[in-house]
Amino acid sequence: MKICIFWHRRDLRIHDNAGLAAALASGLPVVPLFIYDKEILNHLPDKADARLTYIFDEVEKLAQETEAAGGTFLARYGQPLAVLEALVKEFEVAAVHTNEDYEPYAAERDTAVAKLLEKHGVDFYLYKDQVIFAKDEIMTKSGTVPKVFGAYLKTYTARLTDEMLLPYGSTGDFNKENLHPIAPERAGKRPTLESMGFERREQYFPPDKLPADSLVRNYHNTRNTPANEHGTTRESLSLRFGTLSVRQVMQQAKALNQKLLAEIIWRDFFMMLLWHYPNTATESYDPKMRHLSYRNNEDEFRAWCEGRTGYPLVDAGMRELNKTGYLPNRVRMTVAGFLVKHLFIDWRWGEKYFADKLLDYEMANNVGNWQWMAGTGAISAPWFRVYSPDSQLEKVDPEMKYVKRWVPEVGTSKYPAPIVEHKFARERSVEAIRAARIAAS
Ligand SMILES: Cc1cc2nc3c(=O)[nH]c(=O)nc-3n(C[C@H](O)[C@H](O)[C@H](O)COP(=O)(O)OP(=O)(O)OC[C@H]3O[C@@H](n4cnc5c(N)ncnc54)[C@H](O)[C@@H]3O)c2cc1C
Protein backbone atom coordinates (compact mmCIF):
# COMPACT_ATOMS: atom_id res chain seq x y z
CA MET A 1 0.00 0.00 0.00
CA LYS A 2 1.26 3.48 -0.88
CA ILE A 3 1.97 5.70 2.10
CA CYS A 4 3.26 9.18 2.80
CA ILE A 5 5.75 10.12 5.46
CA PHE A 6 5.42 13.15 7.67
CA TRP A 7 8.93 14.05 8.82
CA HIS A 8 8.91 15.92 12.16
CA ARG A 9 11.93 18.12 12.71
CA ARG A 10 11.55 21.17 14.89
CA ASP A 11 7.77 20.79 15.17
CA LEU A 12 7.39 18.18 17.88
CA ARG A 13 3.63 18.40 18.17
CA ILE A 14 0.51 17.05 16.56
CA HIS A 15 -1.75 20.07 17.07
CA ASP A 16 -1.69 23.06 14.72
CA ASN A 17 1.04 21.63 12.49
CA ALA A 18 0.94 22.90 8.89
CA GLY A 19 2.85 20.04 7.27
CA LEU A 20 1.21 17.30 9.28
CA ALA A 21 -2.25 18.70 8.49
CA ALA A 22 -1.41 18.66 4.77
CA ALA A 23 -0.08 15.09 4.93
CA LEU A 24 -3.18 13.88 6.78
CA ALA A 25 -5.43 15.56 4.21
CA SER A 26 -3.46 14.20 1.24
CA GLY A 27 -5.49 11.01 0.91
CA LEU A 28 -2.49 8.76 1.51
CA PRO A 29 -2.08 7.04 4.89
CA VAL A 30 0.53 8.83 6.97
CA VAL A 31 3.54 7.46 8.81
CA PRO A 32 5.14 10.07 11.08
CA LEU A 33 8.93 10.00 11.32
CA PHE A 34 11.67 11.57 13.39
CA ILE A 35 15.37 11.27 12.51
CA TYR A 36 18.01 11.77 15.19
CA ASP A 37 20.47 13.47 12.88
CA LYS A 38 23.97 12.09 13.44
CA GLU A 39 25.52 15.25 11.97
CA ILE A 40 23.83 17.42 14.58
CA LEU A 41 24.30 15.04 17.50
CA ASN A 42 28.02 14.72 16.74
CA HIS A 43 28.36 18.41 17.58
CA LEU A 44 26.69 18.24 20.99
CA PRO A 45 29.14 19.42 23.65
CA ASP A 46 28.33 16.66 26.13
CA LYS A 47 27.13 13.04 26.30
CA ALA A 48 24.46 14.17 28.76
CA ASP A 49 22.69 16.96 26.91
CA ALA A 50 19.50 18.45 28.30
CA ARG A 51 18.21 19.45 24.86
CA LEU A 52 18.57 15.94 23.51
CA THR A 53 16.84 14.61 26.62
CA TYR A 54 13.99 17.05 25.95
CA ILE A 55 13.75 16.04 22.28
CA PHE A 56 13.86 12.36 23.17
CA ASP A 57 10.98 12.70 25.66
CA GLU A 58 8.92 14.71 23.17
CA VAL A 59 9.52 12.15 20.40
CA GLU A 60 8.47 9.35 22.73
CA LYS A 61 5.30 11.31 23.56
CA LEU A 62 4.56 11.70 19.85
CA ALA A 63 5.13 7.98 19.33
CA GLN A 64 2.66 7.14 22.09
CA GLU A 65 0.07 9.58 20.75
CA THR A 66 0.49 8.10 17.26
CA GLU A 67 0.04 4.56 18.52
CA ALA A 68 -2.98 5.57 20.59
CA ALA A 69 -4.53 7.01 17.39
CA GLY A 70 -3.96 3.75 15.48
CA GLY A 71 -0.71 4.54 13.60
CA THR A 72 2.99 3.80 13.87
CA PHE A 73 5.70 6.34 14.61
CA LEU A 74 9.10 5.67 13.08
CA ALA A 75 12.24 6.98 14.73
CA ARG A 76 15.71 6.44 13.29
CA TYR A 77 19.27 7.47 14.14
CA GLY A 78 21.55 8.34 11.23
CA GLN A 79 22.18 10.75 8.39
CA PRO A 80 18.86 12.02 7.08
CA LEU A 81 19.63 11.23 3.44
CA ALA A 82 20.67 7.65 4.23
CA VAL A 83 17.64 7.13 6.50
CA LEU A 84 15.20 8.48 3.91
CA GLU A 85 16.76 6.44 1.12
CA ALA A 86 16.44 3.26 3.18
CA LEU A 87 12.79 4.06 3.99
CA VAL A 88 11.76 4.76 0.41
CA LYS A 89 13.37 1.48 -0.62
CA GLU A 90 11.67 -0.48 2.14
CA PHE A 91 8.16 1.02 1.99
CA GLU A 92 6.01 2.19 -0.88
CA VAL A 93 6.49 5.87 -0.14
CA ALA A 94 4.67 8.19 -2.54
CA ALA A 95 5.45 11.46 -0.76
CA VAL A 96 7.38 13.02 2.09
CA HIS A 97 5.88 16.08 3.80
CA THR A 98 7.79 18.30 6.19
CA ASN A 99 7.95 21.87 7.52
CA GLU A 100 10.49 24.42 6.32
CA ASP A 101 13.61 25.14 8.33
CA TYR A 102 15.59 28.30 7.56
CA GLU A 103 19.02 27.52 9.04
CA PRO A 104 21.88 27.17 6.54
CA TYR A 105 22.55 23.49 7.31
CA ALA A 106 18.84 22.64 7.08
CA ALA A 107 18.39 24.50 3.81
CA GLU A 108 21.31 22.58 2.24
CA ARG A 109 20.06 19.29 3.63
CA ASP A 110 16.58 19.88 2.22
CA THR A 111 17.96 20.67 -1.23
CA ALA A 112 19.83 17.34 -1.15
CA VAL A 113 16.73 15.52 0.14
CA ALA A 114 14.62 16.99 -2.68
CA LYS A 115 17.13 15.64 -5.24
CA LEU A 116 17.28 12.23 -3.62
CA LEU A 117 13.52 11.85 -3.45
CA GLU A 118 13.11 13.01 -7.02
CA LYS A 119 15.55 10.28 -8.09
CA HIS A 120 13.27 7.75 -6.38
CA GLY A 121 10.10 9.25 -7.83
CA VAL A 122 8.88 10.42 -4.42
CA ASP A 123 7.17 13.81 -4.06
CA PHE A 124 8.64 16.19 -1.50
CA TYR A 125 6.49 18.92 0.06
CA LEU A 126 7.66 21.72 2.36
CA TYR A 127 5.33 23.98 4.36
CA LYS A 128 5.74 27.23 6.22
CA ASP A 129 5.02 26.45 9.85
CA GLN A 130 7.51 27.94 12.29
CA VAL A 131 7.02 31.60 11.34
CA ILE A 132 4.17 33.73 10.04
CA PHE A 133 6.13 35.60 7.39
CA ALA A 134 9.12 33.79 5.91
CA LYS A 135 12.00 34.42 3.54
CA ASP A 136 11.09 37.33 1.24
CA GLU A 137 7.43 37.74 2.16
CA ILE A 138 8.18 41.08 3.78
CA MET A 139 10.57 43.28 1.84
CA THR A 140 11.12 47.03 1.82
CA LYS A 141 9.20 49.21 -0.68
CA SER A 142 12.25 49.16 -2.95
CA GLY A 143 12.39 45.37 -2.83
CA THR A 144 15.43 45.00 -0.57
CA VAL A 145 15.86 42.93 2.58
CA PRO A 146 14.53 44.91 5.56
CA LYS A 147 17.20 45.98 8.00
CA VAL A 148 15.23 48.39 10.14
CA PHE A 149 13.18 46.49 12.66
CA GLY A 150 10.72 49.36 13.28
CA ALA A 151 9.71 49.49 9.61
CA TYR A 152 9.56 45.69 9.34
CA LEU A 153 7.36 45.55 12.45
CA LYS A 154 5.02 48.17 11.03
CA THR A 155 4.53 46.27 7.77
CA TYR A 156 4.29 42.96 9.63
CA THR A 157 1.59 44.06 12.07
CA ALA A 158 -0.34 45.84 9.31
CA ARG A 159 -0.46 42.59 7.33
CA LEU A 160 -0.99 40.22 10.25
CA THR A 161 -4.61 39.07 10.32
CA ASP A 162 -6.44 36.88 12.84
CA GLU A 163 -7.01 34.32 10.07
CA MET A 164 -3.25 33.81 9.72
CA LEU A 165 -3.15 32.72 13.34
CA LEU A 166 -5.93 30.15 13.09
CA PRO A 167 -4.72 26.63 13.92
CA TYR A 168 -4.18 24.01 11.22
CA GLY A 169 -6.58 21.12 11.69
CA SER A 170 -3.97 18.41 12.24
CA THR A 171 -5.45 17.14 15.51
CA GLY A 172 -8.93 16.43 14.10
CA ASP A 173 -7.50 14.31 11.26
CA PHE A 174 -5.01 12.44 13.41
CA ASN A 175 -6.86 9.14 13.52
CA LYS A 176 -6.76 5.62 12.17
CA GLU A 177 -8.48 6.60 8.91
CA ASN A 178 -5.47 8.73 8.00
CA LEU A 179 -2.61 6.96 9.76
CA HIS A 180 -0.88 3.79 8.65
CA PRO A 181 -0.03 1.05 11.14
CA ILE A 182 3.15 -0.93 10.48
CA ALA A 183 3.93 -4.30 12.05
CA PRO A 184 6.48 -3.85 14.89
CA GLU A 185 9.08 -6.10 13.22
CA ARG A 186 9.02 -3.85 10.12
CA ALA A 187 8.83 -0.57 12.01
CA GLY A 188 11.96 -1.42 14.01
CA LYS A 189 12.83 -0.29 17.49
CA ARG A 190 13.03 3.41 18.21
CA PRO A 191 16.52 4.51 19.31
CA THR A 192 17.12 5.19 22.98
CA LEU A 193 19.52 7.80 24.31
CA GLU A 194 21.86 4.99 25.32
CA SER A 195 21.72 3.27 21.92
CA MET A 196 22.84 6.58 20.36
CA GLY A 197 25.71 6.91 22.85
CA PHE A 198 24.09 9.57 25.07
CA GLU A 199 22.76 9.85 28.60
CA ARG A 200 19.84 11.65 30.18
CA ARG A 201 20.42 15.06 31.67
CA GLU A 202 17.69 16.07 34.07
CA GLN A 203 17.03 19.78 33.98
CA TYR A 204 14.05 22.03 34.57
CA PHE A 205 12.09 22.50 31.34
CA PRO A 206 9.33 25.12 31.25
CA PRO A 207 5.97 23.44 30.48
CA ASP A 208 4.83 23.14 26.87
CA LYS A 209 1.85 25.39 27.42
CA LEU A 210 0.97 29.00 26.94
CA PRO A 211 1.89 31.36 29.78
CA ALA A 212 -0.91 32.62 32.00
CA ASP A 213 -2.94 35.48 30.50
CA SER A 214 -2.16 37.58 33.60
CA LEU A 215 1.60 37.26 32.95
CA VAL A 216 1.16 38.22 29.31
CA ARG A 217 -1.01 41.24 30.17
CA ASN A 218 1.67 42.54 32.50
CA TYR A 219 4.69 41.48 30.40
CA HIS A 220 5.83 45.00 29.50
CA ASN A 221 6.17 45.82 33.22
CA THR A 222 7.95 42.66 34.27
CA ARG A 223 10.15 41.67 31.31
CA ASN A 224 13.23 43.47 32.57
CA THR A 225 13.20 42.24 36.15
CA PRO A 226 15.44 39.17 36.19
CA ALA A 227 14.72 38.46 39.87
CA ASN A 228 11.12 37.73 38.90
CA GLU A 229 11.05 34.18 37.55
CA HIS A 230 7.62 34.83 36.10
CA GLY A 231 8.50 38.12 34.43
CA THR A 232 8.70 36.66 30.92
CA THR A 233 6.87 33.88 29.11
CA ARG A 234 9.58 31.19 29.06
CA GLU A 235 8.11 30.01 25.74
CA SER A 236 11.45 30.07 23.89
CA LEU A 237 12.19 26.37 24.42
CA SER A 238 8.75 25.34 23.16
CA LEU A 239 9.16 27.63 20.16
CA ARG A 240 12.59 26.19 19.45
CA PHE A 241 11.38 22.62 19.23
CA GLY A 242 7.84 23.40 18.13
CA THR A 243 6.04 21.91 21.11
CA LEU A 244 3.98 25.10 20.93
CA SER A 245 3.03 26.58 17.58
CA VAL A 246 3.99 30.14 16.76
CA ARG A 247 0.35 30.80 15.82
CA GLN A 248 -0.92 29.92 19.31
CA VAL A 249 1.76 32.04 20.91
CA MET A 250 1.14 35.01 18.64
CA GLN A 251 -2.62 34.78 18.98
CA GLN A 252 -2.32 35.22 22.73
CA ALA A 253 0.18 38.06 22.43
CA LYS A 254 -1.83 39.83 19.72
CA ALA A 255 -4.90 39.79 21.91
CA LEU A 256 -3.20 40.78 25.15
CA ASN A 257 0.12 42.53 24.78
CA GLN A 258 1.61 44.40 21.83
CA LYS A 259 5.07 44.57 23.39
CA LEU A 260 5.21 40.79 23.63
CA LEU A 261 3.92 40.47 20.08
CA ALA A 262 6.79 42.67 18.90
CA GLU A 263 9.33 40.53 20.77
CA ILE A 264 8.02 37.38 19.12
CA ILE A 265 8.21 39.13 15.75
CA TRP A 266 11.97 39.62 16.33
CA ARG A 267 12.18 35.85 15.95
CA ASP A 268 10.65 35.95 12.45
CA PHE A 269 12.88 38.90 11.65
CA PHE A 270 16.12 37.13 12.60
CA MET A 271 15.07 33.95 10.77
CA MET A 272 14.38 36.05 7.68
CA LEU A 273 17.83 37.67 7.95
CA LEU A 274 19.64 34.37 8.41
CA TRP A 275 17.82 32.90 5.42
CA HIS A 276 18.96 35.83 3.25
CA TYR A 277 22.49 35.95 4.70
CA PRO A 278 23.50 32.41 5.71
CA ASN A 279 27.14 33.54 5.86
CA THR A 280 26.31 35.63 8.95
CA ALA A 281 26.09 32.45 11.01
CA THR A 282 29.87 32.60 11.18
CA GLU A 283 30.87 35.99 9.79
CA SER A 284 30.04 39.59 10.69
CA TYR A 285 27.42 41.04 8.37
CA ASP A 286 29.14 44.43 8.21
CA PRO A 287 32.31 44.14 6.06
CA LYS A 288 33.86 47.02 8.00
CA MET A 289 33.64 44.91 11.15
CA ARG A 290 35.12 41.71 9.71
CA HIS A 291 38.75 42.44 10.51
CA LEU A 292 38.69 43.68 14.08
CA SER A 293 41.76 42.71 16.10
CA TYR A 294 39.83 41.26 19.00
CA ARG A 295 41.93 40.64 22.10
CA ASN A 296 40.60 37.09 22.57
CA ASN A 297 42.31 36.60 25.93
CA GLU A 298 41.61 33.00 26.92
CA ASP A 299 41.92 33.51 30.69
CA GLU A 300 39.47 36.38 30.56
CA PHE A 301 37.13 34.32 28.41
CA ARG A 302 37.24 31.54 31.02
CA ALA A 303 36.51 34.07 33.79
CA TRP A 304 33.50 35.26 31.80
CA CYS A 305 32.28 31.69 31.19
CA GLU A 306 32.57 30.83 34.87
CA GLY A 307 31.05 34.04 36.24
CA ARG A 308 34.24 35.43 37.82
CA THR A 309 34.54 38.87 36.19
CA GLY A 310 33.88 40.92 39.34
CA TYR A 311 30.81 42.49 37.69
CA PRO A 312 27.86 41.12 39.69
CA LEU A 313 25.19 41.15 36.96
CA VAL A 314 27.54 39.50 34.45
CA ASP A 315 28.62 36.84 36.93
CA ALA A 316 25.07 36.13 38.10
CA GLY A 317 23.97 35.70 34.49
CA MET A 318 26.78 33.34 33.53
CA ARG A 319 26.25 31.22 36.62
CA GLU A 320 22.52 31.01 35.92
CA LEU A 321 23.25 30.01 32.33
CA ASN A 322 25.73 27.32 33.39
CA LYS A 323 23.34 25.87 35.93
CA THR A 324 19.98 26.09 34.18
CA GLY A 325 20.56 26.59 30.44
CA TYR A 326 18.47 29.76 30.62
CA LEU A 327 19.09 33.47 30.97
CA PRO A 328 16.59 36.36 30.84
CA ASN A 329 16.92 38.63 27.79
CA ARG A 330 18.19 41.70 29.65
CA VAL A 331 20.94 39.65 31.27
CA ARG A 332 21.82 37.98 27.94
CA MET A 333 22.37 41.50 26.63
CA THR A 334 24.52 42.47 29.59
CA VAL A 335 26.81 39.43 29.49
CA ALA A 336 27.11 39.57 25.70
CA GLY A 337 27.90 43.30 25.69
CA PHE A 338 30.51 42.75 28.38
CA LEU A 339 32.26 40.01 26.41
CA VAL A 340 32.38 41.84 23.10
CA LYS A 341 33.08 45.34 24.36
CA HIS A 342 34.70 45.22 27.81
CA LEU A 343 36.82 42.14 27.18
CA PHE A 344 36.87 42.80 23.44
CA ILE A 345 36.51 39.12 22.60
CA ASP A 346 35.14 37.92 19.26
CA TRP A 347 31.34 37.65 19.33
CA ARG A 348 31.68 34.17 17.80
CA TRP A 349 33.27 32.86 21.01
CA GLY A 350 30.26 34.01 22.99
CA GLU A 351 27.80 32.81 20.37
CA LYS A 352 29.36 29.34 20.49
CA TYR A 353 29.32 29.28 24.29
CA PHE A 354 25.62 30.20 24.30
CA ALA A 355 24.97 27.59 21.59
CA ASP A 356 26.47 24.92 23.84
CA LYS A 357 24.61 26.00 26.95
CA LEU A 358 21.21 27.47 26.06
CA LEU A 359 18.24 25.11 26.15
CA ASP A 360 16.46 27.44 23.75
CA TYR A 361 19.49 27.82 21.45
CA GLU A 362 18.17 29.10 18.14
CA MET A 363 20.82 29.93 15.57
CA ALA A 364 18.95 32.85 14.01
CA ASN A 365 18.16 34.49 17.36
CA ASN A 366 21.54 33.79 18.84
CA VAL A 367 23.60 35.01 15.90
CA GLY A 368 21.26 37.97 15.33
CA ASN A 369 21.44 39.12 18.94
CA TRP A 370 25.19 38.55 19.32
CA GLN A 371 25.86 40.54 16.18
CA TRP A 372 23.46 43.20 17.41
CA MET A 373 25.41 43.54 20.65
CA ALA A 374 28.79 43.46 18.86
CA GLY A 375 27.69 46.17 16.41
CA THR A 376 28.56 43.88 13.49
CA GLY A 377 25.09 42.81 12.30
CA ALA A 378 22.65 43.68 9.53
CA ILE A 379 20.84 45.39 12.38
CA SER A 380 22.89 46.44 15.37
CA ALA A 381 23.35 48.69 18.30
CA PRO A 382 25.70 51.48 17.17
CA TRP A 383 29.24 50.07 17.27
CA PHE A 384 30.39 52.78 19.73
CA ARG A 385 27.68 52.00 22.30
CA VAL A 386 29.05 50.27 25.39
CA TYR A 387 26.58 49.48 28.16
CA SER A 388 27.85 49.76 31.70
CA PRO A 389 27.09 46.50 33.53
CA ASP A 390 26.82 48.36 36.82
CA SER A 391 24.27 50.87 35.46
CA GLN A 392 22.32 47.89 34.07
CA LEU A 393 22.40 46.32 37.51
CA GLU A 394 21.00 49.48 39.12
CA LYS A 395 18.21 49.55 36.57
CA VAL A 396 17.10 45.92 36.54
CA ASP A 397 18.10 44.55 39.94
CA PRO A 398 18.50 47.49 42.30
CA GLU A 399 18.04 45.38 45.42
CA MET A 400 20.45 42.74 44.05
CA LYS A 401 17.87 39.98 44.57
CA TYR A 402 18.79 38.29 41.32
CA VAL A 403 22.51 38.77 41.87
CA LYS A 404 22.47 37.34 45.39
CA ARG A 405 20.58 34.26 44.19
CA TRP A 406 23.51 33.35 41.91
CA VAL A 407 26.49 35.09 43.52
CA PRO A 408 26.00 34.71 47.27
CA GLU A 409 29.54 35.91 48.03
CA VAL A 410 28.98 39.29 46.38
CA GLY A 411 30.10 42.12 48.69
CA THR A 412 32.47 39.83 50.66
CA SER A 413 36.24 39.42 50.38
CA LYS A 414 35.65 36.20 48.44
CA TYR A 415 34.22 38.10 45.49
CA PRO A 416 36.84 39.14 42.89
CA ALA A 417 37.67 42.73 41.98
CA PRO A 418 36.47 43.83 38.50
CA ILE A 419 38.52 42.15 35.78
CA VAL A 420 38.76 45.46 33.92
CA GLU A 421 37.74 49.03 34.65
CA HIS A 422 34.60 50.11 32.76
CA LYS A 423 35.77 53.46 31.34
CA PHE A 424 39.15 52.12 30.30
CA ALA A 425 37.56 49.08 28.62
CA ARG A 426 35.01 51.22 26.82
CA GLU A 427 37.66 53.49 25.36
CA ARG A 428 39.87 50.54 24.43
CA SER A 429 37.21 48.80 22.33
CA VAL A 430 35.74 51.97 20.81
CA GLU A 431 39.21 53.10 19.67
CA ALA A 432 40.08 49.68 18.26
CA ILE A 433 36.80 49.49 16.34
CA ARG A 434 37.14 53.05 15.08
CA ALA A 435 40.64 52.32 13.75
CA ALA A 436 39.53 49.08 12.07
CA ARG A 437 36.59 50.82 10.40
CA ILE A 438 38.81 53.58 9.06
CA ALA A 439 41.30 50.99 7.74
CA ALA A 440 38.47 49.08 6.04
CA SER A 441 36.91 52.08 4.31
C1 LIG B 1 23.09 37.58 23.16
C2 LIG B 1 21.71 37.01 23.03
C3 LIG B 1 21.53 35.71 22.60
C4 LIG B 1 20.24 35.19 22.44
N1 LIG B 1 20.09 33.87 22.04
C5 LIG B 1 18.87 33.35 21.85
C6 LIG B 1 18.68 32.01 21.43
O1 LIG B 1 19.64 31.26 21.18
N2 LIG B 1 17.41 31.54 21.30
C7 LIG B 1 16.33 32.34 21.54
O2 LIG B 1 15.19 31.87 21.40
N3 LIG B 1 16.47 33.62 21.91
C8 LIG B 1 17.69 34.15 22.09
N4 LIG B 1 17.82 35.45 22.51
C9 LIG B 1 16.61 36.29 22.61
C10 LIG B 1 15.92 36.33 23.99
O3 LIG B 1 16.84 36.64 24.98
C11 LIG B 1 15.20 35.02 24.34
O4 LIG B 1 14.34 34.64 23.29
C12 LIG B 1 14.34 35.17 25.59
O5 LIG B 1 15.13 35.60 26.68
C13 LIG B 1 13.69 33.83 25.94
O6 LIG B 1 12.95 33.92 27.12
P1 LIG B 1 11.36 34.05 27.09
O7 LIG B 1 10.77 33.01 26.22
O8 LIG B 1 10.90 34.13 28.49
O9 LIG B 1 11.22 35.46 26.37
P2 LIG B 1 10.02 36.57 26.27
O10 LIG B 1 10.61 37.83 26.72
O11 LIG B 1 8.85 36.05 27.04
O12 LIG B 1 9.73 36.63 24.76
C14 LIG B 1 8.80 35.77 24.09
C15 LIG B 1 9.45 35.21 22.84
O13 LIG B 1 9.79 36.25 21.94
C16 LIG B 1 11.00 35.92 21.25
N5 LIG B 1 12.04 36.91 21.60
C17 LIG B 1 12.11 37.67 22.68
N6 LIG B 1 13.20 38.48 22.63
C18 LIG B 1 13.81 38.21 21.47
C19 LIG B 1 14.99 38.69 20.84
N7 LIG B 1 15.76 39.65 21.37
N8 LIG B 1 15.35 38.16 19.67
C20 LIG B 1 14.60 37.20 19.06
N9 LIG B 1 13.47 36.70 19.61
C21 LIG B 1 13.08 37.19 20.81
C22 LIG B 1 11.42 34.54 21.74
O14 LIG B 1 10.91 33.57 20.86
C23 LIG B 1 10.74 34.46 23.10
O15 LIG B 1 10.50 33.14 23.51
C24 LIG B 1 19.10 35.99 22.70
C25 LIG B 1 19.29 37.31 23.16
C26 LIG B 1 20.57 37.81 23.32
C27 LIG B 1 20.74 39.23 23.79
Side-chain angles (χ1 to χ4, degrees):
M1 182 196 245
K2 282 199 181 235
I3 59 161
C4 73
I5 285 178
F6 177 71
W7 180 15
H8 284 273
R9 283 113 61 109
R10 37 170 308 162
D11 50 359
L12 301 180
R13 65 179 189 284
I14 288 165
H15 68 274
D16 189 12
N17 184 323
L20 179 59
L24 292 167
S26 71
L28 286 172
V30 177
V31 177
L33 164 74
F34 184 80
I35 303 173
Y36 291 95
D37 186 336
K38 238 181 180 165
E39 298 284 325
I40 297 175
L41 299 196
N42 280 346
H43 287 99
L44 288 182
D46 213 322
K47 286 285 156 217
D49 188 277
R51 293 163 296 194
L52 183 59
T53 307
Y54 177 84
I55 293 171
F56 177 77
D57 289 350
E58 293 299 329
V59 166
E60 286 302 298
K61 256 191 242 166
L62 284 176
Q64 281 153 23
E65 287 174 81
T66 308
E67 272 155 32
T72 297
F73 191 98
L74 299 179
R76 296 282 191 272
Y77 169 64
Q79 283 166 328
L81 284 165
V83 169
L84 289 167
E85 184 150 44
L87 289 175
V88 299
K89 282 184 180 160
E90 174 163 9
F91 299 100
E92 263 198 87
V93 181
V96 173
H97 299 257
T98 197
N99 288 317
E100 286 177 347
D101 187 332
Y102 309 104
E103 289 185 6
Y105 165 74
E108 269 177 36
R109 177 198 57 202
D110 288 350
T111 307
V113 166
K115 267 198 203 138
L116 171 88
L117 294 179
E118 194 184 359
K119 191 177 93 190
H120 289 278
V122 177
D123 294 332
F124 185 43
Y125 299 102
L126 285 154
Y127 304 87
K128 180 175 64 171
D129 179 72
Q130 58 171 284
V131 291
I132 304 300
F133 293 106
K135 299 177 180 176
D136 47 13
E137 287 183 317
I138 293 185
M139 300 294 270
T140 64
K141 282 197 183 111
S142 52
T144 56
V145 178
K147 308 223 178 63
V148 179
F149 181 71
Y152 173 87
L153 180 66
K154 204 166 159 205
T155 312
Y156 192 117
T157 46
R159 284 175 51 189
L160 182 67
T161 62
D162 289 338
E163 287 67 40
M164 288 175 185
L165 303 182
L166 290 176
Y168 285 90
S170 34
T171 316
D173 290 338
F174 199 75
N175 53 40
K176 64 177 187 308
E177 272 76 63
N178 299 317
L179 291 166
H180 182 69
I182 298 176
E185 58 281 10
R186 284 195 79 201
K189 279 202 174 130
R190 292 190 299 277
T192 60
L193 287 174
E194 291 70 27
S195 73
M196 295 185 284
F198 289 90
E199 293 160 20
R200 282 191 79 77
R201 167 133 187 218
E202 301 303 341
Q203 185 117 41
Y204 169 74
F205 300 126
D208 299 331
K209 57 179 199 188
L210 290 176
D213 283 357
S214 53
L215 185 159
V216 170
R217 277 202 187 90
N218 205 23
Y219 172 82
H220 52 291
N221 295 319
T222 54
R223 61 190 285 264
N224 285 326
T225 51
N228 177 357
E229 284 166 306
H230 304 287
T232 65
T233 65
R234 295 299 308 268
E235 57 203 13
S236 52
L237 176 67
S238 303
L239 283 169
R240 172 67 187 103
F241 295 112
T243 49
L244 285 176
S245 90
V246 70
R247 288 167 291 281
Q248 290 176 277
V249 162
M250 277 215 186
Q251 212 174 43
Q252 185 191 36
K254 186 167 183 280
L256 301 179
N257 195 310
Q258 295 310 298
K259 181 65 192 161
L260 176 61
L261 182 66
E263 292 303 307
I264 303 168
I265 292 173
W266 271 105
R267 180 178 167 274
D268 276 27
F269 182 70
F270 282 132
M271 287 200 191
M272 176 278 295
L273 283 180
L274 185 62
W275 185 79
H276 282 284
Y277 306 111
N279 61 313
T280 60
T282 52
E283 167 176 73
S284 296
Y285 169 84
D286 182 349
K288 281 193 186 160
M289 301 291 272
R290 285 190 192 150
H291 302 290
L292 300 184
S293 300
Y294 283 115
R295 293 176 59 254
N296 291 348
N297 179 307
E298 294 197 10
D299 291 339
E300 292 182 3
F301 180 62
R302 203 68 358 246
W304 177 81
C305 294
E306 291 168 6
R308 294 187 283 105
T309 66
Y311 280 91
L313 190 57
V314 174
D315 293 341
M318 295 310 292
R319 293 187 200 186
E320 180 181 19
L321 174 65
N322 292 333
K323 184 94 194 214
T324 67
Y326 180 75
L327 201 50
N329 182 60
R330 180 55 51 175
V331 189
R332 290 188 203 205
M333 292 173 75
T334 303
V335 304
F338 188 81
L339 186 80
V340 295
K341 296 286 173 68
H342 290 78
L343 301 183
F344 204 41
I345 287 179
D346 196 324
W347 64 265
R348 285 169 291 203
W349 290 31
E351 197 275 334
K352 164 83 171 67
Y353 192 76
F354 268 32
D356 286 349
K357 295 283 173 189
L358 280 175
L359 291 179
D360 65 18
Y361 167 60
E362 171 82 73
M363 181 185 275
N365 282 354
N366 204 41
V367 163
N369 278 288
W370 271 98
Q371 292 224 35
W372 198 91
M373 292 306 303
T376 60
I379 175 166
S380 283
W383 59 266
F384 47 81
R385 184 176 296 163
V386 181
Y387 293 97
S388 153
D390 286 339
S391 312
Q392 287 297 312
L393 174 63
E394 272 165 41
K395 265 194 207 144
V396 304
D397 191 31
E399 292 165 34
M400 306 247 280
K401 278 192 196 153
Y402 172 74
V403 160
K404 283 184 186 148
R405 191 180 301 152
W406 296 105
V407 191
E409 78 276 22
V410 73
T412 73
S413 59
K414 289 195 184 128
Y415 188 61
I419 194 167
V420 65
E421 200 255 326
H422 167 66
K423 194 161 166 283
F424 165 79
R426 186 184 61 205
E427 282 163 15
R428 180 173 65 185
S429 61
V430 167
E431 282 318 310
I433 298 173
R434 192 192 310 280
R437 291 179 67 86
I438 292 170
S441 55

